[in-house]
Amino acid sequence: MKKLNLLKTAFVAIFAIVAFSCSDDDCSSNDNTIAGIASKNENLSSLVAALERAGLTSTLSGAGSYTVFAPTNEAFASFLSANGFANLNAVPVDVLKQVLLNHVVAGNVQAAQLPDAGYIKTSATVGGTSTGNTLSMYVNKSSGVKLNGVATVTTANVIASNGVVHIVDAVIALPTVVTFAVADPNFDILQAALTREGNTTDFVTALSSAGPFTVFAPTNDAFVSLLSELGAADLAAIPEPTLDAVLKYHVASGAFGNVLSSGLTPNGVTTVPTLLGSSATFDITLPGTGGNIANVTDGADRASGIIAVDVQAANGVIHVLNRVLLPGS
């Protein structure tokens, strides 16, 4: 009996040694966290290196629930080249960290749970601070899954023990207000107006700068109504000075830059200064009526409404209008 017990003890000891003594490669193969899955995919080695440099590996190896849009090595190579970086080490750590966080969404969000066309929030923040508002990301599933108009999901729903990974074909840079004007098809006519040939103001360059801006963005329907109101066949029929003034009238900056809906006067009126000039203002009244989040009265004493709020870019915020504003005389 003693010999049998000794044999049992020896067997248990040997089994324990075999079970828990493995090479680094073997042990890492048991890591099914998001970071572990990335480390086992040779096409995500640049992402693994970037996470390590930005100090995010431990986060994506730990407890919690995350959704990560994982750019491939080729995607990182294109990103570095486009931004003039020789390699990952040339990217400032604070910038790299925010770009990576712009690929991370809280919770386990599989592809079917993403909106067909709409905004979600990433883990990146305005200014990269812990108190900054989280950035928005536009998802469009009309043809595959496209993010901010620049990255397409090539492999979806790689399940991890602490979330899910979607592999994407491009690095999703920190968005500007222009990013959303381009990515969101509800702003197609606004985009056409901002980029119209012959514009006096280079709106794309201006609104891609540091800002911060608060942009009141009219929908396509709002522009169609404006063309009818002005008796114009299309955007080209609107005189350049008029269009320039109208577009500037929809943008605020300086002290009114990046003003969220929570920064508007509750149960009262907020007067908004615009890029058109200190006297070119319009009024926002909370709460709104007729389905509007807020009512707006422009310089021509025309009524419109804010129908969506707080689309957050790195350089400003967008609130959506159901009518184009006119500054008046």
Side-chain angles (χ1 to χ4, degrees), residues 6-22:
L6 286 172
L7 285 172
K8 282 186 176 180
T9 303
F11 176 78
V12 170
I14 291 169
F15 177 79
I17 292 170
V18 171
F20 295 101
S21 298
C22 57

Side-chain angles (χ1 to χ4, degrees), residues 153-188:
V153 173
T154 57
T155 302
N157 301 336
V158 181
I159 305 302
S161 59
N162 60 346
V164 62
V165 176
H166 305 294
I167 298 175
V168 295
D169 63 0
V171 172
I172 309 164
L174 300 180
T176 66
V177 291
V178 173
T179 301
F180 296 129
V182 173
D184 189 339
N186 291 302
F187 300 139
D188 280 350

Side-chain angles (χ1 to χ4, degrees), residues 57 73 79 209:
T57 302
N73 294 343
F79 171 77
S209 65

Side-chain angles (χ1 to χ4, degrees), residues 16-35:
I17 292 170
V18 171
F20 295 101
S21 298
C22 57
S23 68
D24 289 342
D25 288 342
D26 290 338
C27 285
S28 64
S29 68
N30 295 322
D31 182 359
N32 288 318
T33 65
I34 291 170

